C-alpha cells in the first residue's frame, strides 16, 4: 500500500513538472505579463545601495512601452506589468565560467533552488522573475554575462548602478526577459558580433553597413562585418521576425 502511495506521489510531482514546463514554453500573450524585478546590491558598496534605494517603477517604463510597441508590429497586442519587488540581500549563484553540460545543469538547479527560497507569498503570481545585480561602474568596468531560464522563467541580470546607464541597462534587462520566453541569442558567442542575417535589424539594407539599429537578441549594432557597438537605448533596437516567432508573437 505504501509503495503505491509513494508511486502516486511521484507521478503527481512528475505531472506538475510537465505541466509547468509546458506553460513555460507556451506563453499565453493574451493575458497580462507580470515581471517581478528584485534589485540586489551585488558589490556591497554604499553607492550601489544608494542607487537601489532611489529606484522606482517608472525607471523601467521604457521596457514596457518597447515590448508593447514591438509586439504590435506582429499583430500581437500584449500588456506588460513591471513590478519593482523587494531588495534582496542573497545573491543568485554565479553563472559558471566553464560552460560544460554538467556545470550548467548544476548551476541551473542551484538557481532554481535560490529562486524558490527567495519567494514569499506577498510576491503574488508572476510570469517572470528577474534578479537585478547592480554594480557601481566606478569600481567595475565590465559586467559578466547575464542569463535567463525559459524553464522556470527566472533570470539573473547584471547591471550598472548609475542613472547614466539606465537606458542601456534596460536593453540588457529586455534581452534577458525575452530569453525567459524562449528567444535565442543572435550573435557570435566568441566574438560578440551579430550573426548575419538573423542578428541584423535590416539585413537587406544597401550598403549593409553601418546598421542604424540593432536586433535586440543580437544586442549589438553592427558598424562593419567585424565591428559593433552597444545601442544607446531600446529606441535603437528592434525585435525581428525570427525572435517574434520564438517567443510566440507570430507563427
Amino acid at each position: 500500500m505504501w509503495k503505491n502511495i509513494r508511486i502516486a506521489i511521484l507521478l503527481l510531482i512528475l505531472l506538475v513538472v510537465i505541466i509547468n514546463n509546458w506553460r513555460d514554453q507556451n506563453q499565453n500573450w493574451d493575458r497580462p505579463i507580470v515581471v517581478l524585478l528584485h534589485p540586489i546590491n551585488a558589490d556591497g558598496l554604499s553607492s550601489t545601495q544608494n542607487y537601489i534605494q532611489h529606484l522606482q517603477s517608472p525607471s523601467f517604463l521604457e521596457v514596457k512601452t518597447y515590448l508593447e510597441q514591438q509586439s504590435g508590429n506582429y499583430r500581437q497586442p500584449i500588456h506588460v506589468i513591471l513590478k519593482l519587488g523587494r531588495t534582496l540581500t542573497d545573491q543568485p549563484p554565479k553563472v559558471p565560467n566553464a560552460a560544460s553540460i554538467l556545470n550548467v545543469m548544476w548551476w541551473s538547479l542551484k538557481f532554481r533552488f535560490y529562486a524558490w527560497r527567495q519567494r514569499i507569498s506577498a510576491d503574488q503570481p508572476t510570469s517572470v522573475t528577474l534578479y537585478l545585480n547592480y554594480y557601481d561602474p566606478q569600481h567595475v568596468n565590465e559586467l559578466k554575462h547575464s542569463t535567463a531560464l525559459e524553464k522556470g522563467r527566472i533570470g539573473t541580470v547584471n547591471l550598472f548602478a548609475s542613472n547614466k546607464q539606465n537606458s542601456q541597462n534596460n536593453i540588457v534587462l529586455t534581452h534577458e526577459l525575452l530569453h525567459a520566453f524562449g528567444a535565442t541569442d543572435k550573435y557570435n558567442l566568441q566574438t560578440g558580433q551579430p550573426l548575419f542575417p538573423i542578428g541584423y535589424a535590416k539585413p537587406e539594407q544597401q550598403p549593409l553597413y553601418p546598421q542604424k539599429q540593432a536586433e535586440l537578441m543580437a544586442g549589438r549594432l553592427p558598424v562593419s562585418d567585424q565591428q559593433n557597438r552597444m545601442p544607446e537605448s531600446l529606441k535603437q533596437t528592434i525585435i525581428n521576425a525570427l525572435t517574434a516567432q520564438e517567443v510566440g508573437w507570430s507563427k
Side-chain angles (χ1 to χ4, degrees):
M1 176 181 176
W2 288 110
K3 180 180 179 181
N4 291 337
I5 292 175
R6 287 197 299 270
I7 292 175
I9 292 173
L10 289 173
L11 289 174
L12 180 60
I13 293 173
L14 179 61
L15 179 62
V16 170
V17 170
I18 291 173
I19 292 174
N20 286 339
N21 283 342
W22 184 87
R23 286 177 177 173
D24 288 346
Q25 294 177 296
N26 294 272
Q27 174 62 41
N28 183 355
W29 291 100
D30 294 328
R31 296 181 177 179
I33 306 303
V34 181
V35 183
L36 180 61
L37 308 172
H38 282 301
I40 299 169
N41 184 345
D43 57 17
L45 296 174
S46 58
S47 54
T48 301
Q49 190 62 34
N50 182 63
Y51 173 86
I52 290 174
Q53 288 174 348
H54 287 86
L55 270 179
Q56 295 181 341
S57 294
S59 303
F60 307 99
L61 181 61
E62 180 186 22
V63 176
K64 167 187 169 67
T65 303
Y66 174 82
L67 289 173
E68 292 178 350
Q69 289 176 344
Q70 290 292 312
S71 66
N73 294 336
Y74 300 96
R75 298 183 180 180
Q76 175 59 68
I78 65 173
H79 178 49
V80 179
I81 301 171
L82 290 143
K83 298 174 63 177
L84 187 59
R86 296 167 290 114
T87 299
L88 303 179
T89 55
D90 292 340
Q91 297 185 33
K94 303 296 183 184
V95 178
N97 292 323
S100 68
I101 294 177
L102 287 178
N103 283 343
V104 172
M105 288 178 62
W106 179 237
W107 170 81
S108 174
L109 289 173
K110 290 194 296 182
F111 188 23
R112 293 187 194 195
F113 181 65
Y114 165 86
W116 175 77
R117 287 182 56 212
Q118 302 308 315
R119 187 161 184 80
I120 62 174
S121 58
D123 290 337
Q124 300 181 347
T126 61
S127 307
V128 179
T129 301
L130 297 180
Y131 302 94
L132 310 183
N133 310 300
Y134 283 101
Y135 297 84
D136 187 335
Q138 298 295 323
H139 295 265
V140 176
N141 294 325
E142 185 175 351
L143 297 174
K144 291 189 176 181
H145 188 66
S146 302
T147 192
L149 301 178
E150 181 181 8
K151 294 181 179 179
R153 293 280 173 84
I154 52 176
T156 175
V157 189
N158 298 321
L159 305 171
F160 284 119
S162 168
N163 289 325
K164 293 181 180 179
Q165 294 288 143
N166 283 350
S167 291
Q168 290 189 333
N169 281 348
N170 283 340
I171 296 175
V172 178
L173 189 157
T174 310
H175 177 102
E176 297 306 329
L177 179 56
L178 287 197
H179 270 317
F181 290 116
T184 60
D185 284 323
K186 295 172 178 62
Y187 60 87
N188 185 303
L189 298 180
Q190 279 70 48
T191 66
Q193 186 71 10
L195 297 173
F196 181 83
I198 63 172
Y200 282 55
K202 292 187 176 181
E204 75 285 353
Q205 175 181 298
Q206 292 296 331
L208 185 58
Y209 304 106
Q211 292 275 306
K212 295 181 180 179
Q213 289 182 300
E215 205 290 322
L216 180 67
M217 299 312 294
R220 309 286 294 186
L221 201 157
V223 295
S224 74
D225 62 348
Q226 295 182 336
Q227 294 180 312
N228 61 75
R229 66 177 178 84
M230 181 77 175
E232 294 179 5
S233 71
L234 283 169
K235 292 180 180 179
Q236 285 193 327
T237 76
I238 61 115
I239 293 173
N240 69 13
L242 177 57
T243 298
Q245 184 178 19
E246 289 172 341
V247 301
W249 289 352
S250 64
K251 301 297 183 182

